[in-house]
Amino acid sequence: MSPKIFFLSFFRELFVYHHKSLEFRAKLFASMIASNKVDNNCEYKILKKIAKEIYKNDEYRIDVLIHTTKEYVDKIVENDLLDIDHLLLDIDRELKKHKRFRDKINMNHLRNFYACSGDEETVLLQTRILEFYESEIKSRKIV
């Protein structure tokens, strides 16, 4: 990773436009990636493709999204500083606080991570996560 991306990612609150939106998306993607304990190479290829679709030609935002997502995955998988349940609760709080974030949840993007699922347990966990997001989207539309 380039020093510039590291700097932008580290100080994203100050230097990245709409950093809260980017961070929210990173949490969504991290929940799907961290649910698969097998290998993350496949997921990060999918993430890069999705990031390019979202941010088009903005390479810095693409790289910051990928780096931020990796930070959350590392907190869950490697450091045990966070677990998926707490991440989902944080996403729920963010949705309550920022109603516009509901529109950031793209179920098709999230379903792409099924391609990397290795075992039945991962598929089940990812399905539950997607069901949670679908429920959040529906409940926020009513409000």
Side-chain angles (χ1 to χ4, degrees):
M1 174 178 30
S2 75
K4 188 171 189 175
I5 298 302
F6 178 78
F7 181 80
L8 285 173
S9 185
F10 190 76
F11 293 106
R12 62 185 163 261
E13 292 87 11
L14 300 172
F15 297 111
V16 177
Y17 183 68
H18 288 294
H19 74 89
K20 288 186 182 196
S21 172
L22 184 143
E23 192 143 342
F24 179 78
R25 281 188 167 126
K27 290 175 185 179
L28 294 172
F29 298 135
S31 69
M32 294 299 288
I33 294 170
S35 65
N36 188 357
K37 304 272 191 265
V38 178
D39 181 48
N40 290 334
N41 289 328
C42 175
E43 284 96 343
Y44 288 120
K45 287 177 186 174
I46 290 172
L47 177 61
K48 185 158 185 124
K49 180 182 166 202
I50 293 169
K52 286 181 178 181
E53 188 177 314
I54 294 169
Y55 295 121
K56 309 291 184 242
N57 297 322
D58 191 343
E59 284 298 319
Y60 290 119
R61 286 184 75 78
I62 291 168
D63 290 339
V64 171
L65 175 64
I66 292 168
H67 182 74
T68 305
T69 302
K70 285 181 180 181
E71 285 178 13
Y72 280 108
V73 171
D74 288 347
K75 285 181 182 179
I76 295 169
V77 175
E78 295 176 15
N79 300 333
D80 284 333
L81 298 174
L82 181 68
D83 63 26
I84 291 179
D85 292 336
H86 285 97
L87 182 62
L88 294 175
L89 288 171
D90 189 40
I91 290 169
D92 181 56
R93 279 190 294 273
E94 291 288 324
L95 284 167
K96 287 177 183 168
K97 190 174 179 183
H98 305 283
K99 306 242 187 277
R100 69 186 185 281
F101 284 177
R102 174 183 51 100
D103 298 331
K104 304 293 180 197
I105 303 174
N106 183 318
M107 297 304 290
N108 291 326
H109 285 163
L110 297 172
R111 283 187 192 100
N112 285 326
F113 292 103
Y114 275 135
C116 302
S117 300
D119 62 354
E120 194 174 312
E121 185 179 326
T122 299
V123 172
L124 183 61
L125 181 55
Q126 288 179 338
T127 300
R128 296 290 182 246
I129 291 169
L130 290 176
E131 288 171 351
F132 170 75
Y133 294 146
E134 287 173 340
S135 164
E136 290 294 305
I137 291 169
K138 287 177 186 172
S139 69
R140 300 293 179 237
K141 283 184 180 178
I142 295 169
V143 175

